[in-house]
Amino acid sequence: MGRKRKTRTHVKPTDEDLNKIPRSFVMRSGSVGRSLTTLVRDVRRIMEPYTATNLRERRTNRLKDFVMVAGQLGITHFLIFSRTEANVNLRIARVPRGPTLTFRVAEYALAKDCLALQKQPKTSSAKHESSPLLVLNNFKQEGKQFKVMTAMLQNMFPSIDVQTVQLSQTRRVLLFNYNEDTGMIDLRHYAIGVKATGISKSIKRIINTDVPDLSNYDDISDYVLKEAIVSESDVEDGPDSVVTLAQNYPGRNNRKNDQRAVRLQELGPRLTLDLIKVENGLCGGEVLYHKYVRKSKQEILENERKRQKIKEDKAQRKLAQDANVERKQKEKEEHKLRTGKRKHDDDADEENEKEDNEGYEEDVVDDNAELSLGEDDEGSEDEDGDDE
């Protein structure tokens, strides 16, 4: 009997689906130092696979350079880290017209620091082959800044259809938690894992790994009972963490309809963000929200009048440019018609002149032919006379 071939059951995304997937650039602005450069690489790992992992910035690069290539590559968001003398800042911008969120990075910890705190850290590149699940906690607050921030964060990652999603594609979780006490946002990055539930740690070890070393035991029951006594807290899992798998899940013996306990393992990095400003444009434009600046109604109305005037002037310039383009296009067509008619007349004159020259050449040829014929006749008469 031949070996059974494995068939792929997932459907490949179409070009239309790929165009809808948001993509990002995570980059530095200015001189930021070694630690912040490492943080940029860690954030790129969070945004994988739809980000430029090996993006290299130069000191001569400007924001407009990245905007020009963003449209060709389908980039929808910029995450820009910068450092000042006092703070580390993060700007999240929607390309190409905004809005832009400006955060102050109050605290951060690198991914390697988070893994160093774990007893058995586990990392796998397979977990980064799909986008993380986005969880926004406690974001239903008053204020338009929360609405803009919620929409921005949700649009940074592909949307998920709960009815058709594959469990094998849900390998990571990205958590944004708003802390009401501090007014800041905590960012955490986790890997999703499942473990067998309702059994002791020793049984789990037998199920999930190879057969353990039993050379120091007289019977396997001694091994099972000893491990059960040592780790009673691991025998039963809480009801909130136990789920029934609707599909097969990556890992050993994680089959459909099996009960498993969900475990989250932190991958890092950690960030604590403080929202400072919300702008309407791409790293500029109207300030929709500012944490430290408050404007009176008169100032708001004055700014609104200025914006309306700028908008009207821009519309007038647009109309004038369109009129100039139309006028130049019309002049170009008229010039083409004039030059085309003149060229046609010149071609006709050249053709007539050519026909006249050809007729003159034919007349000259005929005259020469008649003269030659006359000479031949005279020569023939002379020969006849001599013969006589």
Side-chain angles (χ1 to χ4, degrees):
M1 184 175 178
R3 183 178 179 182
K4 184 179 179 180
R5 298 184 61 183
K6 182 179 179 181
T7 58
R8 296 183 179 273
T9 57
H10 66 276
V11 180
K12 292 184 178 180
T14 61
D15 294 338
E16 184 178 357
D17 296 334
L18 292 175
N19 293 332
K20 294 180 181 179
I21 295 176
R23 292 174 171 82
S24 61
F25 276 165
V26 183
M27 50 192 172
R28 302 164 296 172
S29 177
S31 179
V32 297
R34 183 177 299 177
S35 178
L36 196 55
T37 300
T38 306
L39 178 63
V40 170
R41 289 198 294 266
D42 292 342
V43 174
R44 288 177 183 174
R45 291 284 289 171
I46 293 178
M47 304 302 295
E48 286 182 350
Y50 302 111
T51 189
T53 305
N54 298 320
L55 179 66
R56 294 185 178 181
E57 311 93 333
R58 297 180 180 177
R59 294 183 179 180
T60 56
N61 289 138
R62 296 294 180 266
L63 181 62
K64 63 179 181 180
D65 300 332
F66 296 99
V67 174
M68 291 178 63
V69 301
Q72 303 174 3
L73 301 177
I75 302 301
T76 58
H77 292 82
F78 286 167
L79 285 80
I80 307 172
F81 285 89
S82 60
R83 181 190 294 275
T84 63
E85 296 181 357
N87 300 311
V88 174
N89 299 320
L90 168 63
R91 287 177 292 174
I92 302 177
R94 173 79 181 193
V95 180
R97 296 182 180 87
T100 303
L101 306 177
T102 302
F103 297 93
R104 179 179 67 88
V105 182
E107 298 175 349
Y108 70 89
L110 302 178
K112 63 179 182 180
D113 298 329
C114 297
L115 295 176
L117 297 175
Q118 302 176 17
K119 184 177 181 180
Q120 294 180 347
K122 296 180 181 179
T123 58
S124 174
S125 59
K127 297 182 181 297
H128 295 269
E129 293 179 356
S130 58
S131 297
L133 300 178
L134 179 64
V135 178
L136 301 178
N137 183 43
N138 203 19
F139 270 74
K140 292 184 179 181
Q141 305 291 332
E142 295 181 357
K144 58 184 178 181
Q145 68 272 19
F146 286 96
K147 295 181 180 180
V148 176
M149 186 164 44
T150 300
M152 175 74 78
L153 296 177
Q154 288 177 344
N155 292 330
M156 286 173 58
F157 301 93
S159 59
I160 296 176
D161 187 356
V162 180
Q163 302 297 329
T164 60
V165 66
Q166 297 291 325
L167 289 182
S168 59
Q169 301 296 320
T170 56
R171 308 293 298 277
R172 294 182 293 141
V173 172
L174 182 62
L175 170 65
F176 287 88
N177 176 61
Y178 177 73
N179 191 334
E180 294 183 0
D181 297 333
T182 61
M184 297 185 183
I185 300 168
D186 299 322
L187 184 150
R188 298 292 185 269
H189 184 214
Y190 300 98
I192 302 176
V194 294
K195 293 184 178 180
T197 182
I199 56 178
S200 64
K201 186 176 181 180
S202 57
I203 302 299
K204 290 181 182 179
R205 187 178 302 170
I206 295 175
I207 295 175
N208 297 326
T209 62
D210 298 331
V211 178
D213 184 11
L214 302 177
S215 59
N216 296 326
Y217 299 92
D218 297 332
D219 188 76
I220 191 172
S221 60
D222 298 336
Y223 169 78
V224 173
L225 294 175
K226 179 180 179 181
E227 292 289 339
I229 294 173
V230 173
S231 56
E232 289 183 358
S233 60
D234 197 41
V235 175
E236 296 295 335
D237 295 291
D240 295 336
S241 63
V242 177
V243 297
T244 301
L245 297 179
Q247 304 170 8
N248 293 338
Y249 194 78
R252 190 170 184 178
N253 297 323
N254 295 326
R255 299 183 180 90
K256 183 179 179 180
N257 296 327
D258 289 348
Q259 284 193 346
R260 291 290 183 267
V262 179
R263 295 288 185 266
L264 298 180
Q265 184 178 18
E266 188 170 6
L267 298 175
R270 297 181 181 180
L271 287 90
T272 302
L273 305 175
D274 185 14
L275 181 63
I276 301 298
K277 183 170 57 174
V278 178
E279 297 171 296
N280 192 27
L282 179 62
C283 298
E286 177 189 358
V287 178
L288 303 177
Y289 166 80
H290 201 290
K291 184 175 181 179
Y292 301 110
V293 178
R294 297 289 184 270
K295 293 183 179 180
S296 62
K297 294 183 178 180
Q298 184 177 359
E299 291 176 341
I300 295 174
L301 293 175
E302 182 66 24
N303 291 336
E304 183 65 24
R305 283 195 294 267
K306 289 181 180 179
R307 286 192 298 273
Q308 291 295 333
K309 187 176 184 306
I310 293 173
K311 189 176 182 180
E312 292 175 359
D313 294 342
K314 185 177 180 180
Q316 292 178 0
R317 288 196 302 269
K318 179 65 175 176
L319 293 174
Q321 290 174 356
D322 294 340
N324 290 334
V325 170
E326 185 177 358
R327 176 178 57 80
K328 291 180 180 179
Q329 186 68 22
K330 187 176 180 180
E331 292 177 354
K332 185 177 180 180
E333 292 177 356
E334 293 177 353
H335 177 71
K336 186 183 294 185
L337 292 174
R338 289 196 304 269
T339 55
K341 184 177 180 181
R342 184 182 302 170
K343 183 177 181 182
H344 178 71
D345 295 341
D346 294 341
D347 294 340
D349 295 339
E350 290 179 359
E351 186 176 354
N352 293 333
E353 184 178 355
K354 184 177 181 181
E355 291 178 356
D356 295 340
N357 293 335
E358 290 177 354
Y360 174 75
E361 291 176 355
E362 291 177 357
D363 295 339
V364 172
V365 170
D366 293 340
D367 294 340
N368 292 334
E370 292 177 358
L371 290 174
S372 61
L373 288 174
E375 292 176 355
D376 291 339
D377 293 340
E378 292 177 356
S380 59
E381 290 179 356
D382 292 340
E383 291 177 356
D384 295 337
D386 294 337
D387 292 336
E388 292 177 355

